[in-house]
Amino acid sequence: MPSALKILIAGGFGAGKTTMVGSVSEITPLSTEEVMTEASLGVDDLSGVESKTTTTVALDFGRITVSSELVLYLFGTPGQERFWFMWNELAAGALGAVVLADTRRLETSFPSVDFFERRGIPFVVAVNRFAGTPDYADEEIREAVDVSADVPVLLCDARVRQSCKEVLVALVQHVMRRRRIAEAVAPPVR
């Protein structure tokens, strides 16, 4: 039986979390996307994503088999503040996370970064490349979202499976690197 690792896909409303889970999952993903109704008017900030008509109300779930010994379970978090109460439950037992950032609304990634930093959950920042958005250097993104130099910042296209796989590989490598460092500085067990 393969080992299973839990990974969260987080980020702001409209950043592409559902798209990422769907494009990389080897199974038909479970999605709790619902049509946005008039009840969201004045509650959800649609600036920059005015054409968005659906939203994740609980989670997205997908799976990717890395090898016969390793399976990644992907859990996409809801992006709107009114659904953030779900995050603690979704984060339980997570190996790490991807913070999917949208440069049109970079400030919407701040709550995800804060959430994972406060809980000590390793994460990478993946900048989803939307058509017509300017390119920014990794250091510009790092400074804008205020993450330390050891947090990987990558470009990705949430619609492209290979791009998403590269982000997941970078996350797993980051987690492994952090664990090696922690083990190297830990006092010996007697």
Side-chain angles (χ1 to χ4, degrees):
M1 177 124 167
S3 295
L5 301 177
K6 182 179 185 180
I7 293 181
L8 298 182
I9 310 298
F13 176 58
K17 300 173 298 292
T18 299
T19 301
M20 182 176 190
V21 171
S23 70
V24 76
S25 180
E26 66 194 16
I27 61 170
T28 301
L30 167 68
S31 178
T32 60
E33 283 257 304
E34 293 294 333
V35 173
M36 294 175 60
T37 65
E38 288 185 19
S40 71
L41 294 175
V43 176
D44 299 323
D45 180 9
L46 295 176
S47 54
V49 290
E50 292 84 2
S51 63
K52 188 160 175 56
T53 60
T54 60
T55 188
T56 299
V57 297
L59 63 102
D60 298 309
F61 173 78
R63 181 186 76 207
I64 182 169
T65 301
V66 176
S67 70
S68 61
E69 298 167 356
L70 180 62
V71 175
L72 301 180
Y73 290 109
L74 309 174
F75 290 82
T77 65
Q80 294 151 282
E81 185 174 354
R82 61 190 164 125
F83 299 121
W84 287 353
F85 68 91
M86 302 271 313
W87 287 29
N88 282 324
E89 292 298 321
L90 291 172
L95 172 78
V98 173
V99 174
L100 203 54
D102 175 355
T103 58
R104 300 170 301 181
R105 302 161 36 104
L106 205 50
E107 71 283 356
T108 65
S109 61
F110 298 166
S112 300
V113 169
D114 291 343
F115 181 88
F116 298 121
E117 284 180 341
R118 281 194 313 269
R119 286 159 182 80
I121 297 173
F123 65 94
V124 299
V125 175
V127 178
N128 193 5
R129 312 241 3 237
F130 287 94
T133 57
D135 289 333
Y136 295 96
D138 293 355
E139 286 309 311
E140 290 176 293
I141 299 294
R142 181 181 311 288
E143 185 177 322
V145 296
D146 193 26
V147 293
S148 63
D150 68 319
V151 175
V153 174
L154 314 127
L155 295 177
C156 77
D157 185 333
R159 301 167 299 177
V160 178
R161 186 171 207 269
Q162 185 60 37
S163 182
C164 296
K165 284 171 61 175
E166 290 167 7
V167 169
L168 295 173
V169 167
L171 172 62
V172 172
Q173 289 173 338
H174 175 58
V175 169
M176 291 170 49
R177 203 170 25 255
R178 281 182 45 139
R179 287 194 175 171
R180 280 194 302 271
I181 291 168
E183 289 169 359
V185 297
V189 178
R190 297 184 189 246

